[in-house]
């Protein structure tokens, strides 16, 4: 098993867009810096929460170029490289490796449904062979509620066996704790990250590496407090606290809700913009969300409230 | 309602790959020519059956360039331009318009699930606005069994109303005749193509424009015979005949099965290659498929059997 570059609270970073709908690289880099300053263990930019699949490959690569130029440490970056054809994830992963990124997060091909493990194995295998770099570290991205296609336990085992130095971990966004637990039991040393902090303590107690969670965009400090103290006496209470916040968020469409929160607490309305097919929250949803958060005493702590951030 | 460039039996053309897995432009152009010679009313290259989503945008554009260079009439081409970000279908559609293609086939964005009609409307709308050409003719591609995201009747109506000269038709691969019938009832003059010849006669009787069907790759003559004679006394018998063949094919994974048939009757094993995540038929499946077809007396008629084809 290869060495593990990532631990702790990883954030699939929201992608800000300009009023004309273009990715806003400056705001993006500033937000990434802020997340790391708050204690994020890594940034899985270009995940589902990042609206990565609403951006072209060249758009994602241009954003990554800016992050590195602006001094975000590449070893802290785990860019998502998901796409449906072999050549696209291969190009994106090669670009990430060339920048020295700590790893990449790789979806299975998600257009065709009902495909076999053999077919997905062949796909991932061709991507890895095309990148052809010993520096490549792949984290499999299992998110069947969205991608519909996923990585079975057997397939994960076959991939680890075939590429032990490359296939080093998995983000489990199945929402199914029994799947996460089975991965942790079956593949010791393999870095398993549940896709929600709701399962963080349970995962850590079974050897999990941390979590990669959408709500990290607005709550790195809270989640990281549990990560840092999971063996302490307050662990269950800390878990309960972050679970409460997560569940409040889950009453709203996640990406627009997170962007609305950032827009509100940064006093920067442009942050709320999403790309179609996603839609911003309605004014009524926004008001309800902010009221729910106020009831929980939530604030987006220790961060700049000015547009110049 | 705009004039309708396509009628009859349209084929989502199989894409042949070389032994090293690259699109084989020469074989592809020859196959397109052969389909038109057999009576295809149009070629919806780069559809689901074409493994389009297993190819990058530049790969699809290079193949289209070759088709036009080799003299396939662009007005007979309806390239698929489906992708998840606004910029990709816009680039592909612009490229098709620049070649003078008769139309393009457009998927909804298919990564995010549970998105609203408003979100899909905004996506399609941005694509059309980006292409910004009065020559653009869009056929909506409704294939919920694969894409999971689709075009509701209300959304189709909104798009037609917003872009009456651009949104001119729809391929309905829902497999649900009641949806096709509702489209035909509600939008007279809008070109509705069921995604299977099983519904061809029913569709024609309600004003349908023809069909766009995977099995057209191996049965243009049979399906076209019904299309040409749908008002004649043999129509129901012709429908029964093509339905029997289609149902025999449906016992196998469609794309690998169609490629296997072409490989067999052309005596050209390379034709059977698919890109991952799809897989070729096993030897046992191949034998069973060919035996099933032999029982039906099927041959891939009037076509070259040599590799030089």
């Amino acid at each position: 098993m290869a060495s593990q570059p990532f631990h702790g609270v990883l954030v699939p970073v929201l992608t800000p867009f300009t009023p004309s709908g273009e990715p806003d690289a400056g705001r993006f880099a500033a937000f990434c810096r802020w997340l790391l300053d708050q204690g994020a263990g890594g940034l899985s930019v270009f995940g589902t929460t990042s609206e990565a699949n609403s951006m072209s490959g060249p758009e994602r690569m241009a954003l990554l170029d800016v992050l590195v130029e602006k001094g975000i440490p590449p070893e802290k970056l785990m860019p998502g490289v998901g796409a449906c054809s072999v050549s696209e994830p291969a190009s994106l992963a090669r670009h990430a490796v060339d920048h020295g990124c700590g790893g990449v997060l790789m979806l299975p091909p998600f257009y065709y449904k009902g495909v076999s493990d053999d077919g997905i194995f062949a796909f991932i295998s061709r991507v890895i062979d095309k990148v052809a770099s010993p520096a490549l570290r792949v984290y499999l991205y299992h998110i069947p509620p969205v991608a519909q296609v996923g990585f079975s336990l057997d397939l994960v085992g076959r991939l680890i066996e075939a590429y032990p130095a490359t296939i080093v971990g998995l983000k489990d966004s199945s929402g199914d704790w029994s799947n996460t637990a089975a991965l942790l039991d079956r593949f010791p040393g393999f870095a398993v990250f549940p896709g929600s902090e709701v399962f963080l303590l349970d995962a850590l107690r079974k050897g999990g590496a941390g979590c990669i969670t959408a709500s990290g965009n607005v709550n790195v400090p809270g989640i990281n407090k549990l990560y840092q103290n999971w063996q302490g006496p307050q662990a269950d209470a800390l878990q309960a606290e972050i679970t409460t916040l997560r569940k409040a968020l889950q009453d709203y469409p996640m990406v627009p809700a997170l962007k609305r929160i950032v827009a509100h607490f940064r006093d920067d309305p442009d942050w709320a913009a999403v790309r179609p097919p996603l839609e911003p929250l309605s004014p009524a949803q926004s008001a309800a969300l902010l009221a729910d958060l106020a009831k929980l005493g939530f604030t987006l702590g220790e961060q700049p409230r000015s547009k110049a951030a």
Side-chain angles (χ1 to χ4, degrees), chain A:
Chain A
M1 200 66 69
S3 67
Q4 285 298 351
F6 294 102
H7 301 273
V9 183
L10 274 65
V11 183
V13 185
L14 294 167
T15 307
F17 296 110
T18 65
S20 66
E22 301 308 308
D24 187 332
R27 265 193 179 81
F28 185 55
F31 194 66
C32 284
R33 164 58 58 204
W34 175 73
L35 289 168
L36 290 175
D37 288 348
Q38 291 218 318
L43 303 175
S44 55
V45 293
F46 317 141
T48 301
T49 307
S50 319
E51 298 171 82
N53 290 101
S54 301
M55 292 190 279
S56 67
E59 283 178 330
R60 298 191 224 177
M61 289 195 268
L63 281 177
L64 183 60
D65 291 341
V66 172
L67 291 189
V68 175
E69 272 164 37
K70 294 209 176 237
I72 302 296
E75 66 273 18
K76 294 285 186 190
L77 295 170
M78 184 198 286
V81 297
C84 296
S85 76
V86 163
S87 52
E88 291 162 294
S91 302
L92 293 167
R94 158 57 62 189
H95 180 253
V97 164
D98 288 347
H99 269 308
C101 292
V104 300
L105 190 60
M106 197 174 291
L107 283 167
F110 55 84
Y111 182 67
Y112 295 97
K113 304 304 185 297
V115 295
S116 69
D117 278 5
D118 285 344
I120 302 170
F121 182 91
F123 181 97
I124 300 292
S125 180
R126 284 209 196 171
V127 172
I128 292 172
D129 294 347
K130 251 177 146 36
V131 180
S133 167
L136 178 64
R137 296 286 176 276
V138 171
Y139 293 79
L140 302 172
Y141 189 7
H142 181 60
I143 182 167
V146 182
Q148 306 285 320
V149 179
F151 295 101
S152 71
L153 291 170
D154 284 347
L155 176 55
V156 173
R158 287 174 59 188
L159 286 165
I160 294 171
E161 194 178 339
Y163 298 98
T166 305
I167 305 281
V168 296
L170 181 144
K171 176 181 181 188
D172 185 3
S173 295
S174 64
D176 173 5
W177 166 250
S178 70
N179 189 65
T180 309
L183 285 160
L184 288 164
D185 286 338
R186 190 152 153 185
F187 307 114
F190 185 64
V192 175
F193 295 87
S196 165
E197 71 271 30
V198 166
F199 304 118
L200 178 57
L201 184 55
D202 287 338
L204 292 171
R205 285 175 173 161
K206 286 181 78 71
C211 63
I212 306 178
T213 178
S215 31
N217 281 284
V218 299
N219 194 24
V220 166
I223 306 168
N224 200 35
K225 196 164 171 191
L226 170 58
Y227 179 70
Q228 299 293 344
N229 298 284
W230 71 273
Q231 290 170 304
Q234 296 303 311
D236 287 293
L238 292 169
Q239 176 67 67
E241 200 172 308
I242 62 177
T243 296
T244 301
L245 176 61
R246 171 74 180 207
K247 295 205 165 166
L249 295 172
Q250 285 175 188
D251 291 340
Y252 303 89
M254 184 62 83
V255 177
L258 293 170
K259 287 188 149 180
R260 187 69 192 82
I261 294 169
V262 176
H264 175 77
F265 284 96
R266 293 206 158 190
D267 190 19
D268 182 357
D270 289 346
W271 246 107
V274 294
R275 272 191 165 179
L278 302 189
E279 292 179 286
L281 296 192
S282 68
Q285 283 176 311
S286 295
L289 168 66
L290 295 171
D292 286 351
L293 294 179
K295 271 183 241 163
L296 296 176
F298 173 86
T299 56
L300 196 58
E302 297 178 40
Q303 57 99 36
R305 294 176 64 113
S306 82
K307 291 184 189 182

